[in-house]
Amino acid sequence: MRESLTQIVYLSYILASVLFIFGLKMLSSPSTARKGNMVSAVGMLIAVLATLVHQDIIGYQFIIAGLLIGTAIGAIAASKVPMTSMPEFVALFNGFGGIASLLVGWAEYQRILTAGVDIPIATSLPIFLAILIGGVTFTGSLVAYGKLSERISGKPVLFGAQQVVNAVIMALVLVLGLMFVFRPETNYGSFIVVIILSGILGILATIPIGGADMPVVISLLNSYSGLAACAAGFVITNTVLIVSGSLVGASGIILTKIMCKAMNRSLTNVLFSGFGSVGSAKGADVQGEANPITPDDAYYVLESASSVLFVPGYGMAVAQAQHVVRELGEILEKNGAEVRFAIHPVAGRMPGHMNVLLAEANVPYEQLVEMDEVNPSIETVDVAIVIGANDVVNPAAREDESSPIYGMPIINVDHARTVFVLKRSLASGFAGVDNPLFFKPNTRMLFGDAKASIQALVTEFKES
Amino acid sequence: MESILLLFTFVLAIFLGFELISKVPSTLHTPLMSGSNAISGITIVGAIIAAGAIGEGTISVVLGTLAVTFATINVVGGYLVTDRMLAMFKSKEGDKK
């Protein structure tokens, strides 16, 4: 009886893993993605239900309490969070995943100690990894959350002996960790110290990273939260944890790679040098005359355009302009133009953030195109409208070798027939680099508040 | 031997993960992150066992209960917010329905 029950539990875990895999597979298209997420959630439900009949479980009161409290907090948070705050939300939740894996490792260690049996290396090593990765993920995510939600300064925090301090802590973690791994029964003290040091390490690793690099950090922490679950899986020898944890770990690594490539920086560069704190290179001085345009004239150009490309940056979301932009897009489409939105990989504050913000404003996903998709045919675009984006359309990345952003892939809007740049003034972008795009002969500056400018264009169309 | 088999599973799953995730378009990268975040809450399985193993020491039950709480926040919040996001992704044809 007991034997067959255990088998049913394990078969359910296989089913859950299959559902996770299918769920992720269905994320490959926006049309099936929502169902995919539900498939994955059903997998999780099956895994949880199967675990409840596990032979070691004697009392259910604490499980139910934890489930109820967690569900209440999770559900309220998920329904309240605005889409612009998604990066800090994901960061915080990564942290919760990390601390949960740490606690699982700790609880298992405690349980075996109480039982008074020997702990093999095959168990003590993953316990060490679970508390290390889990701890770093937890505090690192909290710092990322603080920076993204602007509760703490987004500026990189650098102090003199930082690298030395980090190296010393790492060495300590390693020594104490090894002591624990080989003698887990008698090294409770070093175990606790490793937990504390992991937490400190997470903070120290995240504070020197600037706000602009946060997309890389949350991708990386995403990966860590998966790896922590994996380690916890090795601790309790449970395959469903290992499989799901690896899927998440791989996902985070891929996203980290994409983000680094889009910023033309290596991971080590992101992690170990605060952006803007080192670069004194400003690039070649850009001189020239910017050509302003009035909404009136812009309207005439747009009216006769047959292909329009919006290039939104995070500034558009800050101005809450996505809804009027979508309205303008619809009007242009009715007017016979092909309308698309070109989205740079680092346009939002996390991978894919801008797409979510535009989807929230009811832009159909067919109109959202990637940089690599739009660049080869950008010469055929009549009007490219740049809203709240700057560095990601800066031709200096292509032309000026002395520019700090040289080599970063950009959307080549300067190759379009006409470019409208919506901007308050000629100030430089996030990276503090001048933008020669503003002075190109085919560029027209539409000065003023982005939302008001777009609104003015919409009104022009409606009145005609 | 068991740990070798687990390691084997781990390595294969990492490869599978790379294959699966590289097919996700960048449009869906935010829902991918929050959704995979929910999946990493699978650690709830270990947490439930620890919280339910009463009689094997108070400390491990307390730690387990805390773990259940955190992992549940992660799972429930992650899936719900991902669903909220994905519900907003609409196709042009979808509008007519």
Side-chain angles (χ1 to χ4, degrees):
Chain A
M1 176 59 198
R2 171 132 282 182
E3 181 85 345
S4 61
L5 200 61
T6 311
Q7 276 172 355
I8 291 171
V9 170
Y10 272 85
L11 288 174
S12 310
Y13 286 161
I14 295 178
L15 180 61
S17 309
V18 170
L19 291 176
F20 290 148
I21 292 165
F22 266 109
L24 285 173
K25 202 171 152 55
M26 287 165 85
L27 264 184
S28 59
S29 155
S31 56
T32 55
R34 195 175 179 199
K35 257 190 212 128
N37 185 54
M38 284 173 193
V39 167
S40 170
V42 169
M44 186 62 75
L45 187 66
I46 291 174
V48 169
L49 291 179
T51 309
L52 290 177
V53 303
H54 192 281
Q55 53 184 359
D56 287 353
I57 297 178
I58 301 156
Y60 286 91
Q61 61 273 43
F62 298 111
I63 299 175
I64 293 168
L67 288 175
L68 286 179
I69 298 169
T71 304
I73 297 174
I76 292 169
S79 58
K80 289 261 157 73
V81 61
M83 289 301 142
T84 39
S85 308
M86 204 45 74
E88 52 263 37
F89 181 85
V90 170
L92 190 62
F93 274 43
N94 271 332
F96 289 168
I99 186 90
S101 296
L102 181 154
L103 291 167
V104 168
W106 190 353
E108 181 66 9
Y109 173 47
Q110 191 70 47
R111 195 187 65 78
I112 310 175
L113 269 188
T114 315
V117 287
D118 277 350
I119 306 174
I121 290 181
T123 304
S124 61
L125 181 64
I127 289 177
F128 167 61
L129 291 175
I131 58 163
L132 174 62
I133 306 174
V136 169
T137 311
F138 181 57
T139 54
S141 298
L142 289 185
V143 173
Y145 168 77
K147 286 198 175 198
L148 286 162
S149 61
E150 284 160 17
R151 274 164 223 271
I152 55 176
S153 163
K155 288 215 178 78
V157 179
L158 298 161
F159 55 89
Q162 208 157 11
Q163 310 286 21
V164 182
V165 173
N166 285 358
V168 169
I169 293 180
M170 291 271 238
L172 264 174
V173 166
L174 214 61
V175 171
L176 294 171
L178 284 176
M179 280 166 62
F180 166 77
V181 168
F182 287 106
R183 277 286 168 80
E185 296 86 359
T186 54
N187 274 306
Y188 206 106
S190 18
F191 174 82
I192 297 292
V193 177
V194 169
I195 292 184
I196 295 166
L197 289 179
S198 306
I200 296 172
L201 206 55
I203 296 171
L204 289 178
T206 328
I207 50 165
I209 301 171
D213 288 336
M214 276 301 138
V216 180
V217 176
I218 35 178
S219 307
L220 199 62
L221 289 169
N222 188 231
S223 173
Y224 288 171
S225 75
L227 294 176
C230 241
F234 278 98
V235 174
I236 58 167
T237 60
N238 190 320
T239 38
V240 73
L241 262 73
I242 295 176
V243 171
S244 342
S246 332
L247 295 176
V248 179
S251 156
I253 292 168
I254 291 184
L255 292 173
T256 309
K257 227 176 93 189
I258 293 174
M259 286 294 112
C260 284
K261 207 177 137 211
M263 296 197 297
N264 188 39
R265 303 177 60 204
S266 70
L267 186 57
T268 30
N269 182 272
V270 172
L271 294 182
F272 298 113
S273 63
F275 202 28
S277 60
V278 273
S280 55
K282 279 276 293 171
D285 258 351
V286 186
Q287 295 289 330
E289 194 80 20
N291 299 306
I293 192 170
T294 61
D296 225 18
D297 293 332
Y299 160 70
Y300 287 114
V301 178
L302 281 174
E303 213 266 323
S304 59
S306 62
S307 165
V308 177
L309 183 74
F310 287 97
V311 183
Y314 192 64
M316 181 195 72
V318 173
Q320 281 295 314
Q322 59 266 49
H323 298 274
V324 285
V325 170
R326 189 255 313 155
E327 201 182 346
L328 180 62
E330 278 175 359
I331 291 172
L332 288 168
E333 207 161 40
K334 280 207 191 92
N335 196 35
E338 181 206 19
V339 176
R340 289 177 302 167
F341 291 81
I343 295 163
H344 193 277
V346 296
R349 290 190 306 150
M350 74 183 284
H353 191 200
M354 193 50 68
N355 303 72
V356 171
L357 295 171
L358 287 169
E360 190 189 18
N362 283 324
V363 175
Y365 59 75
E366 290 93 343
Q367 289 184 352
L368 308 175
V369 290
E370 293 174 29
M371 171 175 70
D372 296 337
E373 215 174 310
V374 73
N375 267 344
S377 61
I378 202 147
E379 288 84 2
T380 64
V381 170
D382 288 322
V383 185
I385 305 177
V386 178
I387 309 166
N390 193 344
D391 295 329
V392 298
V393 292
N394 189 343
R398 217 176 46 226
E399 293 158 355
D400 176 11
E401 282 186 46
S402 66
S403 171
I405 61 166
Y406 180 73
M408 179 175 117
I410 58 158
I411 299 173
N412 298 321
V413 285
D414 54 316
H415 289 172
R417 295 204 177 95
T418 311
V419 187
F420 290 166
V421 178
L422 276 69
K423 230 178 164 312
R424 279 179 196 281
S425 67
L426 285 173
S428 54
F430 212 17
V433 188
D434 285 331
N435 195 339
L437 173 71
F438 304 157
F439 310 104
K440 296 261 177 183
N442 59 338
T443 303
R444 297 288 175 275
M445 304 298 295
L446 192 49
F447 286 116
D449 174 63
K451 194 174 172 184
S453 302
I454 297 282
Q455 191 63 58
L457 285 170
V458 170
T459 316
E460 292 264 3
F461 268 101
K462 279 188 177 158
E463 282 171 358
S464 60
Chain B
M1 194 55 209
E2 194 188 19
S3 38
I4 297 294
L5 280 178
L6 291 177
L7 206 58
F8 193 61
T9 314
F10 169 69
V11 173
L12 289 184
I14 290 272
F15 276 97
L16 176 63
F18 275 115
E19 281 303 310
L20 280 173
I21 307 300
S22 54
K23 297 207 171 56
V24 177
S26 62
T27 305
L28 294 176
H29 276 166
T30 297
L32 167 69
M33 275 182 90
S34 63
S36 63
N37 196 224
I39 295 179
S40 76
I42 187 68
T43 199
I44 192 172
V45 165
I48 287 176
I49 299 173
I54 300 167
E56 303 206 39
T58 325
I59 300 175
S60 70
V61 174
V62 171
L63 294 171
T65 309
L66 278 175
V68 172
T69 312
F70 278 116
T72 311
I73 297 176
N74 202 351
V75 168
V76 174
Y79 279 121
L80 285 181
V81 87
T82 309
D83 185 65
R84 224 182 107 198
M85 267 192 271
L86 290 172
M88 298 186 312
F89 280 86
K90 289 189 195 86
S91 158
K92 274 186 198 167
E93 296 91 75
D95 291 344
K96 286 167 197 154
K97 272 180 211 165

